[in-house]
Every structure is written in structure tokens, then in C-alpha cells.
Amino acid sequence: MLKRFLKNEDGATAIEYGLIAALIGVAIITAVSLVGDGLNGVFGAVSTKLNGATP
């Protein structure tokens, strides 16, 4: 019974899948953050140009 318990790798596989999912989550959050900052700058520039335009 003890040998079978020590050879069981189901828990290790679940932990590996959990780590992969966590890394994918971090990558998605980072990408969304970078795109959000870039879009914020673009909309700020457009807003500034529109406010400076004469009617």
C-alpha cells in the first residue's frame, strides 16, 4: 500500500496543470494591462487634439 502511494503521480500532475493555468493567467493579465495603457494614451492624444480643434 505504501509503495502504491509513493508511486501515485496524480497529485503532481494536478499541481503542474495548476501552475500552467496560473502562468497563463499572469500572461493574460500582463497583456491586457499593456494594451490598456497603450489605448489610454491613444485616446488621451485624440482627446487633446479634439479639444484644441476650432469649430
Side-chain angles (χ1 to χ4, degrees):
M1 184 174 161
L2 182 60
K3 285 183 181 181
R4 189 174 58 203
F5 175 74
L6 292 175
K7 288 184 179 182
N8 188 357
E9 295 182 2
D10 289 339
T13 303
I15 291 172
E16 290 168 357
Y17 284 134
L19 289 172
I20 291 169
L23 289 174
I24 290 171
V26 168
I28 290 172
I29 290 170
T30 303
V32 168
S33 176
L34 292 174
V35 169
D37 290 343
L39 282 177
N40 208 10
V42 169
F43 282 119
V46 170
S47 175
T48 302
K49 295 217 181 228
L50 287 175
N51 286 335
T54 56

